[in-house]
Amino acid sequence: MASILRFRKLCYVEPVKCSSLGFESFETPKIEKKDDRGAVKAVESTVGEKQKKKSSKRQPREWRCMDYCCLTVGYVCTAWWLLLFLYHCLPAALPGFQVPEAPGARLRREGLTALHPVVLVPGIVTGGLELWEGRPCSEGLFRKRLWGGSFTEIFKRPLCWLEHLTLHNQTGLDPPGIRVRAVPGLVAADYFAPGYFVWAVLIENLARIGYEGKNLYMAAYDWRLSFQNTEIRDQALSRLKSKIELMFVTNGNKKVVVVPHSMGVIYFFHFLKWVESPPPMGGGGGTGWCAKHIKAIMNIGPAFLGVPKAVSNIFSAEAKDVAFVRSMDPGVLDSEILGLQTLEHVMRVCRTWDSIISLIPKGGETIWGNLDWSPEEGYNCDLAKKRYAQPSLLDSNDTNSDGKMEFQIKESVRYGRIISFGKATSQLPSSQLPNLGSKDFLRTSNPTKFNSLCSEVWTEYDEMSRDGIRKIAENKAYTARTFLDLLRFVAPKMMQRAEAQFSHGIADNLDDPKYAHYKYWSNPLETKLPDAPDMEIYCLYGVGLPTERSYVYKLSPTDRCKSIPFRIDSSAEGSDGGCLKGGVYFVDGDESVPVLSAGFMCAKGWKGRTRFNPSGIATYVREYRHKPPASLFEGRGVESGAHVDIMGNVALIEDVLRVAAGATGVEMGGDRIYSDIMRMSDRINLRL
């Protein structure tokens, strides 16, 4: 703070000259001079006269950009130190300022101690990545974080940073001359950035009941790669298998509790099939490996059936937040102004990450709905918000909440149309929409001739003709089945590479030999659970937050090449209290994963003995109603249901600790449901 003010003073304040240091001051002293008559005259020195002339001409100085920046930084720093001072000075017993007791400390007093080894599996983007080999522009970054931490390299050398995070466009592995690897250990994902925790709070509470390095492990992996490629390049699955076996042996043959989060949930689901499959494709553990080594899988924020926001990310490198920023200040992101091409750079990099394809919605129209139907049909955002704000209405029936308040039709919303071009298209009856055929997805071989004359950022849109772009957007709506054809049309190279690694359908016959291929192993609708009847599976997720479900798009208002031709129509708004805001239709969820994706498999797909769960593994749905922090001292909230912030939720941490200490799902009370996941699941006609 002081150094900033000194810098500002040095650059923008006129120096004060001091006569005591041997310099002339601005007010030059008068010089006494005697004339011939002996009279004393006061004569201004030449320097003083010049200085007066200069000062008389000087105008009030205008504030510059640097002045405002320094002032802002000064205010922020002052406020921060003041709040920090108050936090440490105020008495802990002051009403409203009590820091909640850590659940680990409370449970330790109750007698809970570490019993089962715990393995943590991070999700997409939350794990740190470090550089092991790079281009000349990365000098000085050896084994320093490129992802996670302070992110300072984004500002120092942004293009170099992007180049090193990009994977090979054909193989999905390292480009020549670049090696970026996952940061190992608990520090890989304890904090995403300074002060922004991910796993840190849960790790600290596990430590309070006795966990340490010998019985707690973070299974870090390069989340950019397809799941099978993490094994091919890094042997990540083999190392995870060996670690679980070692922890099992060194902790008295106690089974392991696995706690995956977000995309880490389907990554570990892939592992369950890989570990029991024969080599070279699988890990060779044999039937019964999971039953022997795993007690429970506690899936936090599970994206079992995918997330719609993965579609918007691939299609236009957008989500609700990007669309909001663009509507507020288009110059920040649009390539027409400032020439930044921010989203084009993001799209070019993200389309080399095969892991994003794993998050595309699975199950097609059977799960996500068609042009006229969806499981969330009749969902009312305004009533849902009021309902979650009244705990008494929820707590009266934990396992099957009264959905009548929430499922009242206020405006017809067809959530099955994941992408609609125009607000009217998202609402029209399907009979008034044009039919989509194979001819709509035929590429022309001659893209526009001026593409090569534009800026340097290349995306697959630059290989498309403008007529082809307009054709697929003209009053069209796409469901969970047809948007796959759309993505194959706009991103053919990415989809060809990624669809060799993942599948998004529903298996008719799970005994078909084709499902022994690894591309099906991360899809719970195309893979059986292992034969482990004593194992437990938990679906733990937040509810009560608006979550992206479908989008209203429009063509970008420019025909410039080297730009993304589609964007979310942020001007599309629904009625007051409706679910359409800023071009995005919302449903219940944790801000990232809709309830349908997080809860369906535990609520119905695996409930009891089904063809997806032939051994009858017990499954439990545990929902956590979102409650914003009551004061600044709660940080991001001890009762948050948000996708990442839920990792600090006291109730969730307590559930994890109890299971790790030996409790079962029945002992914890079974299901705890606040949302309408049961009603939505009943509407899905899936053969079990």
Side-chain angles (χ1 to χ4, degrees):
M1 171 73 177
S3 60
I4 293 172
L5 294 176
R6 283 199 298 270
F7 172 74
R8 179 180 175 277
K9 181 178 179 181
L10 216 97
C11 295
Y12 299 105
V13 180
E14 290 289 337
V16 179
K17 299 181 181 180
C18 181
S19 58
S20 63
L21 297 176
F23 298 97
E24 293 178 336
S25 66
F26 289 128
E27 293 297 327
T28 308
K30 295 180 180 181
I31 301 174
E32 292 184 356
K33 185 179 180 181
K34 294 183 179 179
D35 59 7
D36 295 339
R37 298 178 183 178
V40 179
K41 263 185 172 179
V43 182
E44 292 293 332
S45 70
T46 305
V47 177
E49 291 173 351
K50 290 181 180 179
Q51 188 62 44
K52 282 189 176 182
K53 290 179 181 179
K54 289 181 181 178
S55 61
S56 63
K57 294 179 181 179
R58 187 183 299 120
Q59 300 295 328
R61 181 175 56 82
E62 295 183 0
W63 278 60
R64 304 182 188 181
C65 180
M66 179 63 78
D67 294 313
Y68 288 108
C69 289
C70 292
L71 188 64
T72 302
V73 171
Y75 278 132
V76 170
C77 292
T78 303
W80 171 255
W81 286 110
L82 180 61
L83 289 173
L84 193 64
F85 174 78
L86 291 174
Y87 177 76
H88 288 286
C89 290
L90 288 174
L94 195 65
F97 291 95
Q98 296 95 335
V99 179
E101 183 183 16
R106 177 169 49 81
L107 294 176
R108 181 62 181 263
R109 283 203 317 273
E110 295 177 7
L112 258 70
T113 57
L115 180 62
H116 294 276
V118 174
V119 173
L120 311 176
V121 186
I124 193 169
V125 309
T126 54
L129 300 174
E130 62 186 16
L131 182 69
W132 281 82
E133 181 184 2
R135 302 283 163 75
C137 66
S138 64
E139 185 68 29
L141 296 180
F142 176 68
R143 291 206 63 206
K144 291 186 179 179
R145 290 201 181 197
L146 293 185
W147 188 270
S150 62
F151 288 96
T152 54
E153 298 308 317
I154 299 179
F155 307 103
K156 291 181 180 179
R157 30 191 160 185
L159 295 181
C160 181
W161 179 77
L162 287 171
E163 181 183 10
H164 285 77
L165 287 176
T166 304
L167 294 172
H168 195 279
N169 200 38
Q170 294 181 343
T171 65
L173 297 170
D174 293 322
I178 293 177
R179 282 187 296 148
V180 175
R181 298 292 181 264
V183 175
L186 295 175
V187 297
D190 54 351
Y191 288 91
F192 177 64
Y196 190 88
F197 72 83
V198 181
W199 292 91
V201 177
L202 179 57
I203 292 172
E204 180 181 354
N205 281 277
L206 284 166
R208 289 179 184 273
I209 65 170
Y211 281 92
E212 53 187 329
K214 67 180 180 182
N215 53 6
L216 180 61
Y217 174 69
M218 176 78 74
Y221 61 98
D222 190 338
W223 46 261
R224 301 172 301 161
L225 302 176
S226 69
F227 303 156
Q228 194 69 10
N229 275 345
T230 64
E231 171 64 16
I232 292 172
R233 195 195 72 177
D234 301 332
Q235 292 75 54
L237 299 176
S238 294
R239 287 187 286 110
L240 176 56
K241 174 177 178 284
S242 299
K243 188 66 178 181
I244 290 176
E245 291 171 343
L246 178 64
M247 295 174 77
F248 174 79
V249 172
T250 57
N251 288 275
N253 292 339
K254 293 290 190 299
K255 294 182 181 181
V256 173
V257 173
V258 183
V259 188
H261 174 242
S262 188
M263 190 189 77
V265 169
I266 52 178
Y267 178 76
F268 191 77
F269 186 75
H270 177 98
F271 171 84
L272 292 178
K273 186 68 175 179
W274 173 88
V275 73
E276 294 192 347
S277 298
M281 195 177 295
T287 303
W289 188 96
C290 294
K292 178 181 179 181
H293 294 94
I294 300 176
K295 175 194 185 295
I297 307 172
M298 308 197 72
N299 303 291
I300 302 177
F304 279 121
L305 301 180
V307 291
K309 67 192 308 181
V311 178
S312 64
N313 179 280
I314 297 171
F315 193 56
S316 61
E318 287 183 289
K320 62 174 182 177
D321 300 326
V322 174
F324 175 76
V325 170
R326 171 178 269 153
S327 65
M328 296 299 293
D329 190 355
V332 174
L333 297 174
D334 290 349
S335 58
E336 301 94 322
I337 304 175
L338 300 180
L340 294 178
Q341 293 192 279
T342 307
L343 296 183
E344 284 78 3
H345 281 294
V346 171
M347 174 175 286
R348 179 177 61 84
V349 175
C350 290
R351 283 192 177 182
T352 66
W353 298 347
D354 289 344
S355 58
I356 293 179
I357 298 297
S358 73
L359 294 172
I360 286 180
K362 303 176 180 72
E365 294 179 355
T366 301
I367 300 295
W368 296 92
N370 55 31
L371 293 174
D372 294 314
W373 168 87
S374 70
E376 301 98 335
E377 192 174 46
Y379 175 80
N380 188 295
C381 292
D382 188 43
L383 290 177
K385 183 178 179 181
K386 294 177 181 177
R387 177 171 171 262
Y388 280 118
Q390 301 178 39
S392 60
L393 295 176
L394 295 163
D395 297 335
S396 61
N397 190 353
D398 278 356
T399 58
N400 194 4
S401 56
D402 182 7
K404 294 181 180 179
M405 287 188 62
E406 186 174 339
F407 275 79
Q408 295 181 9
I409 300 176
K410 188 173 182 178
E411 59 179 6
S412 179
V413 179
R414 294 174 169 85
Y415 291 110
R417 305 176 188 185
I418 292 182
I419 290 180
S420 302
F421 282 93
K423 179 181 176 182
T425 304
S426 70
Q427 299 171 340
L428 287 172
S430 60
S431 59
Q432 299 181 26
L433 297 176
N435 293 323
L436 293 172
S438 58
K439 293 182 179 180
D440 293 305
F441 301 107
L442 292 177
R443 276 178 170 251
T444 58
S445 57
N446 296 318
T448 48
K449 295 181 180 179
F450 53 82
N451 280 3
S452 60
L453 301 177
C454 297
S455 61
E456 60 185 15
V457 184
W458 176 89
T459 66
E460 290 186 274
Y461 284 123
D462 301 315
E463 298 180 357
M464 297 176 59
S465 69
R466 293 295 163 181
D467 290 337
I469 289 172
R470 293 189 185 94
K471 188 176 180 180
I472 63 172
E474 200 167 23
N475 300 321
K476 300 286 176 52
Y478 298 88
T479 65
R481 176 179 59 85
T482 56
F483 79 69
L484 288 173
D485 294 325
L486 176 64
L487 294 182
R488 294 184 189 109
F489 180 70
V490 301
K493 294 180 180 178
M494 176 189 184
M495 293 300 289
Q496 182 180 6
R497 184 187 69 245
E499 286 191 306
Q501 304 285 338
F502 300 104
S503 179
H504 303 87
I506 300 176
D508 293 325
N509 178 15
L510 287 168
D511 294 322
D512 191 321
K514 78 173 186 178
Y515 293 109
H517 192 274
Y518 61 77
K519 67 180 288 185
Y520 301 102
W521 293 350
S522 61
N523 183 355
L525 301 174
E526 294 179 307
T527 304
K528 295 179 184 178
L529 286 174
D531 185 9
D534 296 330
M535 193 171 77
E536 295 179 326
I537 296 179
Y538 297 80
C539 292
L540 317 173
Y541 55 89
V543 295
L545 286 166
T547 304
E548 297 166 62
R549 177 61 166 84
S550 56
Y551 303 88
V552 176
Y553 268 85
K554 66 178 181 179
L555 286 172
S556 299
T558 175
D559 280 337
R560 289 184 69 245
C561 57
K562 301 287 186 180
S563 63
I564 299 173
F566 312 109
R567 64 175 56 177
I568 295 174
D569 185 1
S570 55
S571 65
E573 295 284 345
S575 59
D576 293 339
C579 295
L580 175 61
K581 296 183 184 301
V584 181
Y585 283 103
F586 293 93
V587 292
D588 192 11
D590 66 1
E591 279 189 325
S592 293
V593 183
V595 164
L596 178 64
S597 177
F600 173 77
M601 293 309 298
C602 285
K604 182 177 181 179
W606 291 328
K607 205 69 172 179
R609 290 182 181 269
T610 69
R611 66 190 185 106
F612 303 108
N613 181 15
S615 66
I617 295 173
T619 62
Y620 301 97
V621 177
R622 304 280 289 180
E623 295 182 341
Y624 304 88
R625 185 175 64 247
H626 174 74
K627 181 180 178 182
S631 70
L632 181 66
F633 297 93
E634 282 191 17
R636 284 150 56 195
V638 295
E639 296 181 74
S640 176
H643 188 62
V644 177
D645 295 353
I646 197 174
M647 305 289 276
N649 186 298
V650 170
L652 180 139
I653 293 173
E654 182 173 334
D655 285 348
V656 173
L657 267 57
R658 289 189 182 279
V659 172
T664 65
V666 174
E667 292 170 346
M668 293 199 305
D671 294 338
R672 182 179 60 216
I673 298 175
Y674 300 122
S675 72
D676 284 276
I677 183 59
M678 302 307 296
R679 182 174 280 101
M680 285 187 276
S681 299
D682 290 340
R683 290 180 174 181
I684 295 175
N685 184 20
L686 178 66
R687 182 172 64 87
L688 299 175

